């Protein structure tokens, strides 16, 4: 579906609107943006901001390039991801329901630059193979900036002024469903002030309003995935739980999993998984990149929840979910 453009931003508006958002992203991804478009990188956030502004001025960076990059990196990784059985509607049903909804103007809407005080539905991406619904939430904070403190005499009194630098954060809430999958996901950006149950209620309310589902979809158990994956490389710890007790296997190696600790490996292989109803664990999962990097992922089996401990790109999040679901029991129809 063709993008519906928001009003084009002037260069000054673009620089002002994206500065705070871009600098909230990880340095690795900012460098990637600059490198991709032949822009001088620099070493600090201050360098990045200036080089981005210069690139906007001379045309090497524009609104379309920045928005395409943000769609890949903002709100992916460093988050909690909950898995559910997929809605029962067909992809064809989704297209019709969206077109008939009160939210049709959000379909294909470009990047939103706001910092709303409450979760606000920002855009809906509907493509032949997937549906993505995004909410944004802003948060204001103040960081102590001692280097800006100063003292001043006013009249007969001496005063000391202590400085704080304003910080604006953005959190992302997503609903993601690839139509080929028998499951869908709700992604909650890491923010200690977000109540996950309230956030998921917001998602289900919109989906029910859109008539994509009549009620919240069933949450999946990932305990089988934990049990299977914990027998492979990259398992930092695995906790197998039964009513009244649990068994926990842990690797304290800096770069190795429980498979590299012979005694722990033997203990893991001796456990009868069928005797344990629930499981959770921490894994180093390969991202599939050329550098053979891994991302730390915590899996809470009975909650159907993944905790991704680092920012990454959209395709890495999909790869992690695919890896976990490959180990899980077949998903029942939603």
């Amino acid at each position: 579906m063709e993008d519906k453009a928001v009003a084009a931003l002037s260069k000054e508006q673009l620089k002002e609107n994206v500065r705070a958002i871009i600098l909230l992203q990880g340095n690795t991804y900012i460098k990637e943006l600059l490198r991709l478009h032949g822009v001088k990188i620099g070493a600090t956030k201050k360098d990045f901001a200036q080089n981005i502004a210069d690139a906007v001025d001379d045309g090497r960076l524009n609104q379309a390039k920045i928005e395409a990059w943000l769609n890949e990196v903002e709100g992916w990784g460093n988050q909690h991801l909950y898995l559910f059985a997929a809605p029962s509607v067909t992809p064809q049903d989704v297209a019709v329901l969206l077109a008939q909804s009160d939210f049709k103007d959000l379909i294909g809407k470009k990047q939103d630059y706001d910092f709303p005080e409450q979760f606000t539905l920002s855009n809906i991406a509907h493509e032949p193979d997937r549906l993505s619904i995004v909410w944004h939430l802003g948060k204001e904070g103040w960081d102590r900036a001692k280097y800006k403190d100063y003292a001043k005499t006013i009249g007969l009194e001496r005063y000391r002024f202590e400085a704080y630098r304003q910080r604006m954060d953005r959190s992302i809430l997503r609903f993601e469903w690839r139509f080929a999958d028998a499951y869908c996901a709700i992604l909650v950006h890491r923010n200690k002030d977000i109540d996950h149950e309230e956030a998921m209620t917001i998602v289900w309310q919109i989906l029910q309003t859109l008539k994509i589902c009549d009620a919240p979809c069933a949450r999946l158990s990932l305990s089988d995935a934990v049990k299977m994956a914990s027998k492979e490389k990259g398992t930092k710890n695995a906790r197998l739980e039964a009513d009244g007790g649990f068994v926990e296997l842990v690797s304290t190696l800096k770069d190795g999993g429980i498979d590299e600790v012979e005694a722990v490996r033997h203990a893991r292989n001796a456990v009868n998984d069928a005797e344990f109803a629930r499981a959770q664990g921490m894994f180093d999962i390969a991202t599939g990149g050329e550098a053979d990097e891994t991302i730390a992922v915590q899996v809470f089996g009975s909650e159907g929840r993944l905790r991704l401990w680092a920012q990454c790109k959209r395709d890495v999040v999909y790869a992690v979910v695919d890896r976990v679901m490959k180990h899980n029991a077949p998903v029942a129809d939603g």
Side-chain angles (χ1 to χ4, degrees):
M1 182 169 293
E2 183 179 355
D3 279 348
K4 294 181 180 179
V6 295
L9 301 175
S10 68
K11 289 183 177 181
E12 289 305 315
Q13 289 173 325
L14 183 60
K15 288 188 290 186
E16 182 62 27
N17 280 325
V18 305
R19 182 182 296 112
I21 297 172
I22 285 181
L23 297 184
L24 290 174
Q25 309 310 313
N27 286 1
T28 298
Y29 301 105
I30 300 173
K31 291 177 180 179
E32 181 180 298
L33 169 69
L34 299 177
R35 187 180 297 112
L36 178 64
H37 297 291
V39 179
K40 180 181 177 182
I41 295 174
T44 66
K45 293 279 191 182
K46 183 177 180 180
D47 294 338
F48 301 156
Q50 184 59 56
N51 294 338
I52 289 167
D54 291 343
V56 169
D57 284 335
D58 64 27
R60 285 174 293 164
L61 283 178
N62 57 30
Q63 189 171 344
K65 292 176 180 178
I66 289 172
E67 288 174 353
W69 174 80
L70 277 174
N71 285 334
E72 291 294 323
V73 302
E74 188 184 32
W76 295 102
N78 203 10
Q79 64 196 175
H80 302 263
L81 187 152
Y82 294 84
L83 288 168
F84 302 85
S88 59
V89 299
T90 68
Q92 292 76 17
D93 292 334
V94 172
V96 173
L97 293 170
L98 289 176
Q100 295 174 344
S101 77
D102 292 335
F103 303 106
K104 55 181 174 293
D105 289 341
L106 292 177
I107 302 172
K109 183 175 177 289
K110 290 191 175 182
Q111 182 65 233
D112 194 299
Y113 296 104
D114 292 337
F115 288 75
E117 294 182 0
Q118 303 292 333
F119 271 122
T120 300
L121 183 58
S122 303
N123 56 70
I124 300 173
H126 178 228
E127 299 174 6
D129 62 343
R130 74 182 185 104
L131 173 66
S132 176
I133 305 177
V134 177
W135 292 256
H136 283 93
L137 172 69
K139 178 185 177 184
E140 179 184 63
W142 293 89
D143 294 333
R144 189 74 172 86
K146 292 183 178 181
Y147 65 94
K148 288 291 186 178
D149 291 354
Y150 68 95
K152 183 177 181 180
T153 300
I154 302 176
L156 299 177
E157 303 290 344
R158 183 74 172 168
Y159 293 88
R160 175 179 173 80
F161 294 86
E162 296 185 346
Y164 290 80
R165 179 178 60 83
Q166 186 184 40
R167 183 189 71 254
M168 294 296 292
D169 293 329
R170 290 215 310 179
S171 291
I172 312 297
L173 174 65
R174 294 182 183 275
F175 172 79
E176 295 286 326
W177 178 26
R178 295 180 297 181
F179 300 136
D181 296 332
Y183 53 87
C184 60
I186 293 177
L187 291 71
V188 184
H189 201 193
R190 180 197 54 78
N191 180 333
K192 62 181 178 60
D193 296 326
I194 295 176
D195 183 295
H196 289 201
E197 293 301 323
E198 290 180 4
M200 287 189 282
T201 297
I202 291 172
V203 174
W204 294 126
Q205 285 176 342
I206 291 295
L207 290 172
Q208 289 171 253
T209 300
L210 290 168
K211 299 181 180 179
I212 289 173
C213 58
D214 296 326
C217 297
R219 190 177 297 197
L220 301 185
S221 169
L222 301 176
S223 290
D224 285 341
V226 173
K227 293 174 186 178
M228 290 290 293
S230 65
K231 296 178 180 179
E232 300 180 350
K233 292 183 178 181
T235 304
K236 300 302 293 184
N237 68 66
R239 175 176 167 135
L240 308 177
E241 302 172 350
D243 293 340
F246 63 88
V247 171
E248 189 162 18
L249 303 156
V250 179
S251 167
T252 58
L253 299 175
K254 181 179 179 181
D255 298 317
I258 61 177
D259 61 292
E260 296 187 25
V261 184
E262 185 175 10
V264 178
R265 182 176 69 251
H266 291 166
R268 173 67 191 94
N269 292 334
V271 171
N272 180 0
D273 289 356
E275 295 180 338
F276 295 88
R278 301 171 300 279
Q280 57 182 285
M282 176 74 81
F283 306 90
D284 288 336
I285 296 180
T287 63
E290 295 180 1
D292 196 29
E293 296 176 334
T294 61
I295 180 172
V297 179
Q298 198 166 1
V299 183
F300 301 85
S302 60
E303 298 179 37
R305 174 165 65 100
L306 311 181
R307 170 68 165 96
L308 282 70
W309 283 88
Q311 185 181 11
C312 51
K313 299 179 74 173
R314 177 171 58 181
D315 59 350
V316 171
V317 174
Y318 284 152
V320 167
V321 173
D322 289 343
R323 170 78 179 276
V324 171
M325 290 305 298
K326 186 179 296 184
H327 290 299
N328 215 40
V331 180
D333 291 339

